[in-house]
């Protein structure tokens, strides 16, 4: 898990925003697949949700640091 967080920390704000958009799109698609019983990896929903949370947390940390 720490490796993934470090990968996100190495990215710029623009890259994080792009990743966030991609993850939200994937989350939508996964929810749609789950609703139609076509989901192959149910655990992927949890992974995507946590990655979204990691990115949002990192963005909040950066904005707080920028204000200080």
């Amino acid at each position: 898990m720490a490796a993934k967080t470090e990968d996100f920390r190495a990215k710029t704000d623009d890259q994080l925003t792009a990743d966030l958009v991609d993850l939200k799109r994937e989350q939508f698609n996964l929810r749609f697949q789950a609703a139609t019983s076509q989901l192959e990896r149910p655990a992927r929903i949890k992974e995507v949700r946590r990655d979204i949370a990691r990115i949002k947390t990192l963005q909040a940390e950066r904005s707080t640091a920028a204000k200080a």
Side-chain angles (χ1 to χ4, degrees):
M1 252 350 112
K4 188 171 276 198
T5 304
E6 291 305 316
D7 291 342
F8 286 142
R9 287 190 188 279
K11 294 185 177 187
T12 65
D13 291 339
D14 292 337
Q15 290 172 327
L16 285 176
T17 303
D19 284 350
L20 185 62
V21 168
D22 292 340
L23 286 169
K24 284 194 175 264
R25 186 174 296 122
E26 182 179 357
Q27 183 183 36
F28 174 79
N29 290 333
L30 289 170
R31 282 195 315 241
F32 195 86
Q33 288 175 10
T36 59
S37 301
Q38 296 178 347
L39 191 60
E40 293 180 17
R41 289 183 49 211
R44 183 66 183 144
I45 294 172
K46 189 176 186 179
E47 293 170 7
V48 169
R49 190 175 69 235
R50 288 185 175 179
D51 286 345
I52 289 170
R54 281 187 191 99
I55 290 175
K56 286 185 173 184
T57 301
L58 186 55
Q59 287 176 331
E61 287 175 0
R62 289 183 180 182
S63 68
T64 303
K67 289 178 184 176

